Structure formats: structure tokens, C-alpha cells
Amino acid sequence: NGSWSINHDCFDCAAFSEKVEVDDKDMMVELKPGKIGESPTKVCEFNDATQYRFGHVKYTCGADRKWTKEVTCRKFRCAGGDVSFNFGKVGQVKYHLPKDGKDAELLCPLTAANPSGKIFLECGGDGSWKYLRDTCHDCKPMSVNVGFDGHWKEFTL
């Protein structure tokens, strides 16, 4: 017929839908076409109307023109579970962390240098527990004199 036809959809990643499963729950996700670098994020609301308060389902349109998926849906900010700490001469001590997602303060073992101290853990925004600090060790301040070319300076550690 003497005319040219150009067929371009102006997107990098095609539209698609899929079922996402988390625990014993599932949800249907439908994505519109996207450009490289776009990252649509969905809340964790499942087909049975259950909604997890933490995490998301995130898709990213990659340079290969394909969607990649990240699923972080969880019921609690941080999951409960067991964690072990190595206290040197005291050895490994096992603790149970709560699943309510609050930051945790654990008591030091009775055989630690400072048995009345605490271990401080933070429930991070990514849903993982992070060690902050502990006061289980008995570290006394000490001074160190450092000399250079006849000049001395005292540092307190």
C-alpha cells in the first residue's frame, strides 16, 4: 500500500501478572509496562484480605528488559528466634528474641565480667536484628602516654 508502519510500545519491560506466595498466603500482582529502573511496589495484601504490616513486593525493570522481584512481606517487624553470642572465656550463650519487632535488651550471662549488664539489639527497618552494643564486659578506663621527639601526651581510653 506504499506506507511504512513502525510498531513500538514505548516501554522496556512488558506488562504481566503472577501469583506471589508468602507463608500460606497468596496474592495476584498485575504490572503495567515499565521503563528500565522503574520499581513499582505493592503492599502485602493477600487474596483472603489478610494484610501483613511489614515489608512489600517490589519489582524492578532491569537493563535486560525483565522484571526482577523482591518479596519482604512479614507479619512482624522482626521475626522471633534464637541467637547465640560468644563471650570469650564464658563461651557461647543462647538467647531467644521476641517476634513483636521491638528493640531488645537481654541480660548478660551470670558468668560474664559484668553480670548486671545488658546486650542491646535493634530491630532494623529491613526486618533483621542488629547488634548495637553490650555492657557485659568490664572494661576499666586506662591512660596511655605517647611520646614523640621528647613531647608526651596522655590519652584516656
Side-chain angles (χ1 to χ4, degrees):
N1 68 12
S3 64
W4 289 89
S5 175
I6 298 176
N7 214 0
H8 191 277
D9 296 323
C10 297
F11 62 85
D12 297 311
C13 292
F16 87 105
S17 63
E18 74 171 341
K19 182 164 82 169
V20 176
E21 295 180 3
V22 177
D23 299 330
D24 60 343
K25 311 276 183 210
D26 61 72
M27 63 191 284
M28 283 303 297
V29 174
E30 295 185 18
L31 293 181
K32 296 178 181 176
K35 296 261 183 212
I36 292 174
E38 286 183 347
S39 295
T41 302
K42 308 291 183 183
V43 297
C44 302
E45 189 169 337
F46 301 97
N47 292 335
D48 67 358
T50 301
Q51 187 170 353
Y52 284 4
R53 297 182 332 144
F54 303 102
H56 59 260
V57 178
K58 179 180 173 182
Y59 291 84
T60 302
C61 179
D64 61 356
R65 301 176 72 134
K66 294 181 181 176
W67 291 106
T68 58
K69 175 176 57 177
E70 172 188 64
V71 180
T72 61
C73 299
R74 57 197 183 280
K75 295 177 188 177
F76 303 98
R77 199 170 113 209
C78 283
D82 294 325
V83 63
S84 294
F85 292 97
N86 189 340
F87 287 94
K89 292 180 184 177
V90 174
Q92 286 213 299
V93 179
K94 188 176 184 179
Y95 292 91
H96 183 76
L97 296 175
K99 65 179 176 182
D100 61 6
K102 296 177 182 172
D103 295 345
E105 289 183 15
L106 309 171
L107 297 176
C108 295
L110 295 176
T111 53
N114 181 17
S116 61
K118 292 185 179 178
I119 304 164
F120 299 90
L121 302 173
E122 174 185 61
C123 176
D126 64 353
S128 65
W129 289 101
K130 293 176 181 58
Y131 169 85
L132 295 177
R133 68 186 184 286
D134 72 76
T135 56
C136 299
H137 300 87
D138 190 17
C139 298
K140 307 268 190 242
M142 64 181 260
S143 296
V144 175
N145 286 312
V146 177
F148 180 74
D149 202 23
H151 296 76
W152 289 89
K153 175 76 176 173
E154 181 180 28
F155 293 95
T156 303
L157 304 176

